[in-house]
Amino acid sequence: MSLLAPVEGWYAKKVARDEKMWMLISFVLCLMLFVWMLLWHVYGEQNPSNVTYRTTPVEFSRLHEAYIKKNMIGIDNGVPVVKPEPKSDVFFMGEMWRWSPALILQKGEWYNLHISSKDLMHGFSLQPVNMNFQVYPGYDYVLHFKPTEAGEYKVLCNEFCGIGHHTMIGKIVVIENDEDLKKYGYDFPEKSAVPAPGTDTAPATATEVAPASAEADIKAGELVYTLKGCVACHKTDGTAQLAPAWNGLFGKKEKVKENGKEIEVTVDEAYIRESIVTPQQKVTVGYEQTVMPVFALNDEEIRQVTAFVKSLQNK
Ligand code: CUA
């Protein structure tokens, strides 16, 4: 309420000419902006508008995993690589702390990219074109788009999402023709890079000849490692930022903390199982900052992952 009450009957006074003029100008301006808003959507060069659907992290993870299992053509540093068919639906997911899969797209073709998060809020930042948006769990962002320039693009996470945030870098490669695949090291022999249980092609990881079923277990274990996202923290090349590397881990003595007390354990089948089922029971000294999520693996998958870790013993 103002200090002085307006003069009685002010609203009955005629509107002055200049006042009317300003009202007209602002009304026309509003109309112009409204029309331009629609035109800008079509002709403007800005972040694309997407359609969003509700989903759940569990449901999206399920679709994402099934999609990758069906379509992956190879593995790049533990990240599945997919070359989707033009005009198809592509599932791309952020989780602590990786984007998957790595995508190979054809220049000039349309794709329906479904993007979501498995755990918390991540930021999808496509570089170097600098396209940004937030990715929440529970929402499926569908981006209908056509890559117009060939090259390698990085998907950086631009929302701080925890201790491994800076390592969360995904890859999208846009090619003009299949020849380009060599340039990126993605010229996998047709489908054979996918570890298929039961096949008897010699794996690159095994250092000694093992019975066929053990071979299949190792391959299946590597697939679990790739699909479930263990690779986001556990590397197999000896680098260890967020969690112990898996190569050379089996049989090793590790210092761990249990209920605040430091003890020494030997990494064996039982210890690996315990670490998967109850990750916080024993935490490796030096990695107390990383909280390992509980991955719902069944007994068979645990056996396979263990076989995979074992196979990396001498690497
Ligand atoms: Cu994901 Cu930062």
Side-chain angles (χ1 to χ4, degrees):
M1 202 179 135
S2 70
L3 214 55
L4 301 165
V7 192
E8 189 68 21
W10 63 272
Y11 48 82
K13 268 191 179 170
K14 267 185 116 184
V15 180
R17 234 184 97 121
D18 54 347
E19 225 172 328
K20 274 188 194 157
M21 195 183 73
W22 280 119
M23 274 162 71
L24 186 71
I25 289 174
S26 40
F27 181 67
V28 171
L29 205 63
C30 282
L31 277 184
M32 277 164 64
L33 287 174
F34 179 73
V35 173
W36 191 229
M37 193 166 74
L38 302 178
L39 290 176
W40 192 240
H41 177 77
V42 182
Y43 300 107
E45 286 192 357
Q46 58 175 0
N47 275 347
S49 29
N50 47 18
V51 188
T52 309
Y53 299 95
R54 282 313 294 262
T55 180
T56 62
V58 173
E59 173 64 7
F60 194 86
S61 305
R62 196 183 60 77
L63 291 170
H64 175 258
E65 193 177 321
Y67 175 74
I68 291 174
K69 254 190 193 156
K70 200 165 152 226
N71 295 288
M72 68 189 275
I73 58 162
I75 299 174
D76 175 14
N77 277 327
V79 178
V81 180
V82 171
K83 187 166 175 284
E85 287 296 316
K87 297 186 191 68
S88 68
D89 288 280
V90 183
F91 290 85
F92 189 77
M93 192 173 72
E95 65 189 295
M96 292 186 287
W97 289 282
R98 68 163 189 172
W99 295 103
S100 74
L103 293 175
I104 303 168
L105 305 179
Q106 186 72 44
K107 181 183 155 181
E109 294 284 357
W110 286 95
Y111 297 92
N112 287 321
L113 191 61
H114 294 250
I115 308 175
S116 193
S117 160
K118 189 179 183 177
D119 32 50
L120 37 83
M121 187 171 87
H122 299 284
F124 179 99
S125 175
L126 190 66
Q127 301 296 339
V129 289
N130 204 19
M131 191 179 99
N132 297 283
F133 52 89
Q134 292 170 321
V135 182
Y136 288 88
Y139 291 90
D140 176 1
Y141 301 86
V142 187
L143 205 59
H144 184 59
F145 83 110
K146 176 173 77 174
T148 51
E149 246 170 87
E152 186 181 307
Y153 298 84
K154 291 265 169 15
V155 180
L156 306 187
C157 180
N158 62 359
E159 292 290 342
F160 184 71
C161 56
I163 192 168
H165 160 71
H166 62 290
T167 66
M168 198 170 160
I169 302 168
K171 208 196 264 186
I172 296 179
V173 163
V174 179
I175 57 166
E176 302 217 28
N177 48 51
D178 284 354
E179 272 299 293
D180 284 359
L181 289 175
K182 287 202 185 87
K183 214 161 60 186
Y184 304 105
Y186 282 170
D187 54 334
F188 304 109
E190 201 61 24
K191 286 266 180 185
S192 72
V194 183
T199 51
D200 51 13
T201 43
T205 49
T207 47
E208 53 196 351
V209 184
S213 66
E215 293 284 323
D217 267 4
I218 293 168
K219 282 190 170 191
E222 187 181 10
L223 193 59
V224 173
Y225 169 76
T226 298
L227 291 177
K228 299 285 180 191
C230 317
V231 55
C233 299
H234 296 282
K235 306 298 176 194
T236 56
D237 60 359
T239 54
Q241 272 191 39
L242 303 168
W246 278 6
N247 54 319
L249 184 65
F250 195 84
K252 201 174 150 193
K253 292 210 180 340
E254 287 269 61
K255 281 198 169 55
V256 299
K257 265 196 190 133
E258 187 171 31
N259 303 323
K261 247 181 43 201
E262 205 173 298
I263 54 168
E264 198 177 72
V265 295
T266 304
V267 180
D268 55 11
E269 277 98 349
Y271 176 71
I272 292 176
R273 165 173 284 275
E274 187 188 357
S275 300
I276 295 170
V277 180
T278 50
Q280 295 314 308
Q281 186 60 35
K282 297 191 177 80
V283 179
T284 312
V285 173
Y287 301 100
E288 293 91 341
Q289 296 303 312
T290 312
V291 178
M292 175 169 154
V294 177
F295 291 92
L297 301 190
N298 59 35
D299 282 352
E300 196 185 359
E301 288 166 326
I302 291 176
R303 197 191 70 233
Q304 291 162 343
V305 167
T306 309
F308 178 57
V309 177
K310 263 186 178 172
S311 77
L312 302 166
Q313 204 166 350
N314 303 316
K315 284 196 89 185

